[in-house]
Amino acid sequence: MSKLEEAKLYSSSRDSVADQMEWLAQHEPQPSPHQDVQSALQQLIEREAQVTGLTIKPGSQKLLPPEEGQGRHFHRAKVEVTVTGTDEALYTWLHDRINSPEQLRGATNIRLSPDREDDTKIDAKVVIEQWFIPAT
């Protein structure tokens, strides 16, 4: 491959991700310690569950450890929680309160099951992740 062909290839690949790079530059979070991000995520989950009418099952919250080999730039804080409530409240919580691309946050694993005590409600075991830049 000639230098000109190689330069054209790099130029076209740069153009294909320029919008994504610009978006990321506008939404990049400040560096923070893992435990601070995870604690803030847990508080957000609790607050927003209450606002939308969901109940967090007692003893179901787990702060998940960081994964080995996290990315070079971004890391992920994870919280697992089981909530119960109506399906409408659950979908509102996930869509309007938890999943937020602008804040680099989302539910990455959802397991639904009927509530054993009330057939008008649903239980959801959810892993919520927050991407962040670790403090050095």
Side-chain angles (χ1 to χ4, degrees), residues 23-126:
W23 182 91
L24 185 57
Q26 292 173 1
H27 294 89
E28 187 172 50
Q30 294 296 315
S32 300
H34 181 269
Q35 62 271 20
D36 290 355
V37 174
Q38 197 169 41
S39 177
L41 178 60
Q42 183 181 26
Q43 291 171 5
L44 175 113
I45 290 166
E46 291 172 357
R47 181 179 63 247
E48 297 302 335
Q50 185 177 23
V51 165
T52 56
L54 295 172
T55 303
I56 295 175
K57 294 265 186 175
S60 73
Q61 291 188 58
K62 294 179 188 170
L63 301 177
L64 301 177
E67 290 181 6
E68 300 248 348
Q70 296 234 27
R72 283 188 287 160
H73 191 64
F74 283 95
H75 288 199
R76 294 180 293 171
K78 298 180 182 184
V79 176
E80 181 181 85
V81 64
T82 301
V83 296
T84 189
T86 65
D87 57 347
E88 184 178 340
L90 175 65
Y91 300 139
T92 298
W93 180 65
L94 289 170
H95 183 269
D96 297 344
R97 306 290 184 155
I98 296 300
N99 291 326
S100 177
E102 294 82 18
Q103 295 178 8
L104 306 176
R105 182 181 63 242
T108 58
N109 191 327
I110 304 169
R111 185 173 172 204
L112 303 175
S113 59
D115 185 77
R116 292 181 181 177
E117 298 170 10
D118 185 345
D119 63 1
T120 65
K121 294 182 179 178
I122 191 168
D123 290 345
K125 186 175 191 176
V126 184

